[in-house]
Amino acid sequence: MTDVNGIIRAYGAAWLEADEEERRRLLQISWSEDGAYEDPTASVVGREALIRHIADFQKRLPGTKIVFASGVDHHHGKFHFLWKMVGPDGKVASEGRDFGEFDRDGRICRIAGFFGSPPPLPDALIF
């Protein structure tokens, strides 16, 4: 059985890590070599691409942190969790949810991130 919390913790720590070699080490533990990451602003494939994407995020928003806002819910190799983006002033700048999947080795092979709360229920979906 994969240590789900340990894998997700290493992934989350990579987003906070300024040192590229340490970030790479954390993602070697947690992220599949050809894993795919997508959110409304990005789509990257591969561990090295994610390492660069995180570095770019840190350069664009210095002092901003992504922190967990929930535990990890998981089953059948799938998972999701809530997160918050906290600015250098300590205020929450954004919130969202990541949905993901583990590969056979227990590393993350896919994450789709969503920003903000889900949209309100439209009348067309009310039974």
Side-chain angles (χ1 to χ4, degrees):
M1 178 74 183
T2 299
D3 175 11
V4 170
N5 288 325
I7 294 296
I8 300 298
R9 186 174 29 254
Y11 169 73
W15 280 90
L16 300 173
E17 184 54 58
D19 180 73
E20 184 174 311
E21 287 308 310
E22 179 61 11
R23 186 178 326 118
R24 180 173 281 108
R25 186 190 74 76
L26 290 163
L27 290 175
Q28 285 171 342
I29 292 168
S30 61
W31 192 262
S32 176
E33 188 172 335
D34 60 351
Y37 172 89
E38 295 178 311
D39 69 30
T41 66
S43 178
V44 298
V45 176
R47 187 182 298 139
E48 289 300 315
L50 183 58
I51 290 167
R52 289 188 304 274
H53 176 68
I54 293 170
D56 291 344
F57 166 81
Q58 291 175 349
K59 286 177 188 167
R60 279 192 326 272
L61 299 167
T64 299
K65 297 177 183 179
I66 305 289
V67 298
F68 292 108
S70 75
V72 180
D73 189 14
H74 64 94
H75 65 82
H76 296 94
K78 312 287 190 294
F79 65 88
H80 74 103
F81 58 84
L82 302 175
W83 52 263
K84 293 181 181 185
M85 183 186 308
V86 180
D89 59 1
K91 294 182 181 177
V92 174
S94 181
E95 298 181 55
R97 177 184 308 255
D98 282 2
F99 294 91
E101 185 175 344
F102 296 108
D103 66 12
R104 290 182 188 189
D105 296 327
R107 291 185 182 99
I108 302 166
C109 63
R110 178 174 312 281
I111 280 188
F114 293 81
F115 299 167
S117 298
L121 182 65
D123 291 340
L125 292 179
I126 297 173
F127 298 105

